[in-house]
Amino acid sequence: MKKREWDEKKKEYAETDDWETVNQASALWTRSKSEITEEQYKEFYKSLAHGLDDPLAHTHNRVEGRTEYIQLLYIPAKAPFDLYDRQSRHGLKLYIKRVFIMDDAEQLLPNYLRFVQGVVDSSDLPLNVSREILQESRDVRAIREGCAKRVLGLLEDMATHQPNDYKTAWKEFGQCLKEGFGEDFANKDRLAKLARFVSTQSSTDEPDVALEAYVGRMKEGQDKIYVITADSLTAARNSPHLEIFRKKGIEVLLLTDRIDEWVLNFLTEFDGKSIQSVAKGSLDLSKVNDLPSDADTTKDEKAREEDQRAAKPAVEKAAKVLGEKVKEVRLSERLTDSACCLVSDEHDVSGHLERLLKASGQKAPERRPILELNPSHPIVKALVAESEAGGGQILGADGAQVTDGLTETFSDLVWLLHDQALLAEGGQPEDPAAFVGRLNRFLLKGLGSARA
């Protein structure tokens, strides 16, 4: 503006022909990194985020080439309360040639990185840019890809050199980053290296196991990464599906975020190792190097083989009792302590995903699980003995009579095993009253035997 001086005669300020500088401040991001202190970066972030917390990390770069722009991006220390609110806008502040244009330009970053805060100052975009132009602009796509790579690089640097800060970042934004497996296929491998999980070997409930670390600890002969999904860590750790893995000392990743079932559709392998749910498909751990065999181990294996031979007729009869409720009844290779468990076929939805879909009001694909029985368990041995007793005719699940000389006790025991397997995986019996009735009949028989 023009310089003003005091006029003694007129007793007022009068403008001169000289110009004076009113504001000597410059936009922080336009200055060289060597001229900016760490404290200045932090203070700018606080004014940007309208908060008092320091950021976990930041990256400041000038990009030149086909598209020229400056980026100053921050990783916050705390997730905003509306991070998962679809109605809320999250984006970077957009400047064009240091002129403020937009407060929440969502198009400058992929949606899974919406927690990042910062500024982008472009030299190529027109000043009259609109949200519609941003969606279609080739320059904006280049900026989005460049910003995404910078943020992922910053997170990788944190994971390597600031593990405690990265642990905080994953705790706050891990579920957001997992969305990237379905949104950003080009960076899927980088996201897989950034992912953190809880495993059966974790000493705490904090997700701190990287897939690279898991692969480095794999047993000799193990060619797959094993995972289990559940509603909570307690349910996952106590799942009967983990018994053979616990016995052989094989590490299993425990996935308890609601998004994990969706992530497994995209994250199917890592470092050449396929990822398999322990609750789906058949299981073959014969190649995994186990503890050296001894006389007791050989004796146990022979006893289990005898139990399997004896149980096969009972398994066939149990399948007739359950009918269309299950796809198959078979002897288990994954159970060592529990009597039974339910597993999904390799290409079917898991029981956990089925429950999540139903809880959200969506229609779940039809699922017929596989009932696996442990032939060495006393209850299954009792089932085998009861199947040999014969006598009577009972109704199967479809209402048709099963005429293989099966007793009502055999039928009740089969249904109890099915329902308890359903409860163990987090489900609920379709007919709770029938489940209670069968359980009470067995309790009364047991009490009668005890009194006698």
Side-chain angles (χ1 to χ4, degrees), residues 197-245:
F197 306 94
V198 180
S199 84
T200 50
Q201 293 187 9
S202 297
S203 56
T204 67
D205 291 346
E206 297 294 328
D208 56 2
V209 178
L211 289 175
E212 283 182 311
Y214 178 98
V215 171
R217 294 196 293 264
M218 285 173 60
K219 290 265 187 180
E220 183 180 346
Q222 181 183 344
D223 59 355
K224 294 181 180 179
I225 297 171
Y226 293 103
V227 302
I228 184 171
T229 56
D231 294 321
S232 66
L233 287 174
T234 301
R237 286 194 174 106
N238 296 325
S239 171
H241 300 94
L242 296 183
E243 290 176 359
I244 188 62
F245 294 91

Side-chain angles (χ1 to χ4, degrees), residues 299-357:
K299 185 178 180 181
D300 290 342
E301 289 177 353
K302 289 182 178 180
R304 186 174 180 84
E305 290 175 359
E306 291 176 3
D307 292 337
Q308 288 176 337
R309 282 195 295 270
K312 283 184 178 178
V315 167
E316 295 174 359
K317 295 177 181 179
K320 293 182 178 180
V321 172
L322 295 174
E324 294 298 313
K325 285 293 181 184
V326 296
K327 181 175 287 189
E328 180 187 355
V329 179
R330 67 190 183 197
L331 297 176
S332 179
E333 297 291 339
R334 69 189 85 210
L335 296 175
T336 59
D337 301 319
S338 300
C340 56
C341 70
L342 289 176
V343 300
S344 295
D345 208 357
E346 186 175 358
H347 301 294
D348 290 348
V349 298
S350 67
H352 183 240
L353 178 57
E354 181 187 40
R355 290 189 295 276
L356 287 177
L357 291 173

Side-chain angles (χ1 to χ4, degrees), residues 103-122:
D103 197 40
D104 50 5
E106 299 170 324
Q107 296 81 1
L108 300 181
L109 274 176
N111 189 53
Y112 71 93
L113 295 177
R114 60 186 177 275
F115 58 88
V116 176
Q117 299 201 27
V119 171
V120 168
D121 191 342
S122 172

